Amino acid sequence: PPPPSPAARSGRRRCQPQGSSPELPELRPAELRRLTAGKRVQRQDLRSGSGTGFAVQDICADPDAAWDCVSDFAGYKRRIGTVRKVEAYRPERVVPGTCCYRFTVSRLGLLLDVRFAVDEEQRYARWTLEQP
């Protein structure tokens, strides 16, 4: 097995994988051009106070370091300028293999409750917005 990542060695809280990873979305031609130009591509699907989404960006970095940043949800405040506050929370509906974080974003103080599931082997993080 591979050696533990720096995040695992530091004892940071991680989600456990839940089932198999979903099929990755197919990027549209305009999204591929945006990605090739070095820009981020993201989609969100919001319905009745909850939703799903994805984001992708090519990054020239060590894969372990990049994955440690992506999967360190508590560290998003240090890395994402619009995130004002991050706190782990226990949701009413507990789903095995997931963890939940509440983000306060933007100057308006928008609250986002996010459920994460992570597959460490595939380096894949899935998130779902929930109703705060």
Side-chain angles (χ1 to χ4, degrees):
S5 70
R9 288 191 304 269
S10 73
R12 275 201 317 246
R13 180 177 173 188
R14 290 295 181 102
C15 302
Q16 298 300 313
Q18 178 187 354
S20 61
S21 298
E23 186 175 319
L24 295 176
E26 189 169 321
L27 295 179
R28 301 172 187 131
E31 292 171 328
L32 285 172
R33 287 191 300 275
R34 185 172 173 78
L35 194 60
T36 302
K39 298 183 180 179
R40 180 182 70 237
V41 173
Q42 65 184 35
R43 284 190 217 154
Q44 293 181 351
D45 181 17
L46 302 173
R47 295 180 188 161
S48 303
S50 66
T52 61
F54 80 91
V56 63
Q57 183 170 3
D58 278 334
I59 300 172
C60 182
D62 172 73
D64 289 332
W67 178 242
D68 283 344
C69 289
V70 168
S71 59
D72 176 20
F73 310 120
Y76 279 17
K77 182 176 187 262
R78 291 188 310 275
R79 294 184 179 90
I80 303 171
T82 57
V83 174
R84 304 295 185 229
K85 184 177 179 184
V86 178
E87 59 185 346
Y89 73 94
R90 184 170 177 83
E92 287 182 25
R93 185 176 62 88
V94 175
V95 177
T98 66
C99 59
C100 296
Y101 284 84
R102 176 167 293 129
F103 297 93
T104 305
V105 299
S106 88
R107 290 178 290 189
L108 301 175
L110 177 66
L111 290 179
L112 298 175
D113 284 356
V114 182
R115 183 182 300 267
F116 291 98
V118 172
D119 184 324
E120 290 282 348
E121 279 186 35
Q122 295 185 44
R123 294 183 176 186
Y124 180 86
R126 180 178 72 233
W127 54 270
T128 303
L129 293 178
E130 301 199 310
Q131 231 172 354

